[in-house]
Amino acid sequence: MERLKVLVTREQIAAKVAELGARITQDFAGETIVLVGVLKGAVIFVADLARAINLEVAFDFMSVSSYGNTREQSGDVKLLKDVDHSMEGKNVILVEDILDTGVTLSFLKEQVQRHTPKSIRIAALLDKSSRRRVPIQGDYVGFEIPDEFVVGYGLDFAGRHRNLPDICVLEMEKSS
Ligand code: IMP
Ligand code: MG
């Protein structure tokens, strides 16, 4: 049996996204940026964040596989989809739903770095920093959360629950 418990409400998310968007707008004043979303979990965050940024913003997307249908990082990240355009000379913000072990984002950051962008930053809505296995930090982080598996606002478990408007802890209960 599954149980969903709200951890971060849609109102808290909206306020935080507005705050992050304002910070990015300030930090990149007078510049243009490319938001590179990590499919599929970051799609909802990218869509909201982009509209909270008052600059010229382009979109691109990358996709990786690593988790399969489990909750654990296998450590073996495969690039399924690269960006469509060169990031050379661009201000890139990699946008991810959650920073967990850090394996995925350090892999993706390295990929983008090869394009020699003008700058590269990381935006992650959630951060489980207690689980970090590789040293990487977000530049624009929404919420530090405890070591629990969460779904909603783009995050899934085996493809499910991405469309929940709030971020919820997914509790697995043994049926008695
Ligand atoms: P990392 O490589 O361990 O940092 O994992 C990052 C990826 O793992 C994210 O893009 C998510 O897809 C997934 N992930 C990590 N923690 C959670 C969670 O609590 N819920 C859903 N997906 C998660
Ligand atoms: Mg994901």
Side-chain angles (χ1 to χ4, degrees):
M1 251 256 301
E2 285 181 7
R3 252 189 47 193
L4 295 166
K5 205 178 71 195
V6 175
L7 180 68
V8 189
T9 66
R10 62 199 80 180
E11 291 82 11
Q12 290 172 314
I13 297 169
K16 188 62 77 173
V17 170
E19 191 188 307
L20 294 177
R23 270 181 53 205
I24 291 170
T25 303
Q26 230 177 26
D27 292 354
F28 291 91
E31 311 248 344
T32 64
I33 59 179
V34 186
L35 295 181
V36 175
V38 184
L39 296 173
K40 311 183 179 76
V43 161
I44 294 176
F45 182 35
V46 174
D48 284 346
L49 184 63
R51 287 175 289 180
I53 298 171
N54 191 16
L55 300 169
E56 199 180 304
V57 171
F59 284 14
D60 214 321
F61 293 94
M62 297 174 96
S63 177
V64 292
S65 75
S66 61
Y67 271 52
N69 281 348
T70 75
R71 294 161 164 228
E72 283 308 310
Q73 171 61 266
S74 65
D76 177 27
V77 184
K78 273 205 281 289
L79 188 67
L80 297 181
K81 187 212 168 299
D82 204 348
V83 284
D84 294 333
H85 303 283
S86 170
M87 295 293 131
E88 191 180 340
K90 309 277 189 193
N91 294 306
V92 177
I93 303 182
L94 265 170
V95 184
E96 179 56 310
D97 49 8
I98 186 167
L99 248 170
D100 186 23
T101 64
V103 171
T104 306
L105 271 174
S106 35
F107 171 84
L108 289 173
K109 196 175 175 185
E110 220 177 278
Q111 291 287 320
V112 172
Q113 211 91 59
R114 292 190 199 157
H115 293 237
T116 58
K118 179 174 181 188
S119 66
I120 177 160
R121 297 281 181 277
I122 286 175
L125 183 67
L126 305 175
D127 191 352
K128 283 192 222 174
S129 57
S130 64
R131 299 237 318 155
R132 204 74 91 249
R133 277 201 262 145
V134 294
I136 185 164
Q137 272 187 357
D139 301 287
Y140 302 101
V141 173
F143 303 92
E144 174 68 38
I145 63 164
D147 181 11
E148 305 209 65
F149 199 85
V150 292
V151 295
Y153 197 75
L155 292 121
D156 73 308
F157 175 58
R160 299 171 46 232
H161 303 307
R162 290 196 199 275
N163 58 321
L164 295 174
D166 307 302
I167 291 166
C168 302
V169 175
L170 181 67
E171 293 175 340
M172 297 289 206
E173 291 176 348
K174 289 204 184 89
S175 47
S176 47

